[in-house]
């Protein structure tokens, strides 16, 4: 079963993150929000739970800031007792830059006791560069976890902006191309875990990639909780969000949710969780 890591403003961690078996923690919040960091450091974890600490590349790129250095990532990973740390990746830049960063960082992270998480990237429009990066990761000793980014797939097809339909379909198309090259079987044979980073234009992206859910260990998104805080519930449209992705940036300081908003967040979370219950749910 693919486990969902629901991302939520700090004030609602007890309500929406407690009891979940898998978590994705954002590095920039570990650095900036002591309450957030303390929650992940001190809250008892479920048996078999795992914590991935993201490097916040998505957020840093959007803000025009440099990636965190390795020593800072290690410091923050230890602070929240992470199991895996996402290595530096460079959206929109040559594929080898991210691969070389992984080759440099993996021994450091492994020696410190962390699993490594690699996110393939390449220049906008460079389909082959992305595919080759995934194939490298499928058997590389430097990689324990492989992330399929909310940016990588749209960027490789040049559809990250201006066409929500093409953006919505981009990870489905990436999975098709990877399947043709034998990526999923190879990654599985080499003991790699796979994670989907974020959710684009609707929760029914899960249905699009249903043929590969058996290989996708984890998935994260702030969509369920944050949409509810913005007065949006998932719906019966083809994507599950009739107006597409909620473009309002997540306010992790939000702390004034009403009871109807909290109830809507729970319904949104259940919508996604039900989609992911593939051997006993929709994909049995």
């Amino acid at each position: 079963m693919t486990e969902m890591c629901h991302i939520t403003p700090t004030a609602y961690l007890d309500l929406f993150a407690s009891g979940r078996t898998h978590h994705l923690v954002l590095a920039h919040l570990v650095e900036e929000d002591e309450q957030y960091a303390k929650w992940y450091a001190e809250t008892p974890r479920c048996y078999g739970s795992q914590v991935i600490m993201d490097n916040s590349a998505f957020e840093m790129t959007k803000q025009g800031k440099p990636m965190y250095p390795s020593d800072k990532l290690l410091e923050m990973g230890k602070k929240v007792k992470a199991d895996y740390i996402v290595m530096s990746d460079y959206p929109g830049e040559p594929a080898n830059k991210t691969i070389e960063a992984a080759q440099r960082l993996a021994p450091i992270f492994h020696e410190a006791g962390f699993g490594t998480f690699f996110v393939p990237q390449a220049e906008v429009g460079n389909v082959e560069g992305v595919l080759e990066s995934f194939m490298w990761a499928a058997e590389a000793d430097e990689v324990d976890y492989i992330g399929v980014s909310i940016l990588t797939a749209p960027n490789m097809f040049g559809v990250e902006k201006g066409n929500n339909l093409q953006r919505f379909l981009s990870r489905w198309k990436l999975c098709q191309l990877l399947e043709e090259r034998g990526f999923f079987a190879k990654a599985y044979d080499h003991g790699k875990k796979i994670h989907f980073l974020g959710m684009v234009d609707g929760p029914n992206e899960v249905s699009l990639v249903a043929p590969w859910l058996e290989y996708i260990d984890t998935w994260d998104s702030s969509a369920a909780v944050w949409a509810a805080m913005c007065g949006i519930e998932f719906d019966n449209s083809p994507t599950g969000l009739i107006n597409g992705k909620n473009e309002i940036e997540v306010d992790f300081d939000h702390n004034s949710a009403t009871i109807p908003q909290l109830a809507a967040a729970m319904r949104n979370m259940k919508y996604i969780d039900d989609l992911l219950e593939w051997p006993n749910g929709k994909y049995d």
Side-chain angles (χ1 to χ4, degrees), residues 151-167:
L151 285 175
T152 302
N155 273 347
M156 69 188 284
F157 300 115
V159 297
E160 204 278 320
K161 297 183 185 299
N163 192 320
N164 289 4
L165 174 61
Q166 297 301 324
R167 185 171 67 177

Side-chain angles (χ1 to χ4, degrees), residues 134-252:
F134 273 99
M135 296 308 296
W136 173 81
E139 54 186 353
D141 291 338
E142 293 90 344
V143 176
D144 301 312
Y145 230 124
I146 302 169
V148 185
S149 168
I150 198 173
L151 285 175
T152 302
N155 273 347
M156 69 188 284
F157 300 115
V159 297
E160 204 278 320
K161 297 183 185 299
N163 192 320
N164 289 4
L165 174 61
Q166 297 301 324
R167 185 171 67 177
F168 180 71
L169 294 171
S170 61
R171 280 200 286 202
W172 163 77
K173 183 60 177 178
L174 170 58
C175 286
Q176 280 194 324
L177 295 176
L178 290 173
E179 177 71 25
E180 290 171 4
R181 298 203 179 193
F183 164 78
F184 291 102
K186 180 173 285 190
Y188 180 82
D189 289 344
H190 284 83
K192 310 301 183 185
K193 292 178 176 288
I194 296 174
H195 178 97
F196 265 42
L197 289 149
M199 195 165 278
V200 190
D201 290 290
N204 291 342
E205 184 184 9
V206 174
S207 300
L208 283 180
V209 299
W212 303 284
L213 283 179
E214 63 182 300
Y215 298 107
I216 301 170
D217 296 275
T218 47
W219 196 321
D220 76 85
S221 178
S222 60
V225 175
W226 185 239
M229 297 303 118
C230 296
I232 301 168
E233 284 201 54
F234 298 151
D235 51 53
N236 62 359
S237 65
T239 66
L241 270 177
I242 196 165
N243 293 316
K245 182 180 179 181
N246 175 19
E247 298 292 353
I248 301 173
E249 294 287 340
V250 180
D251 177 7
F252 286 96

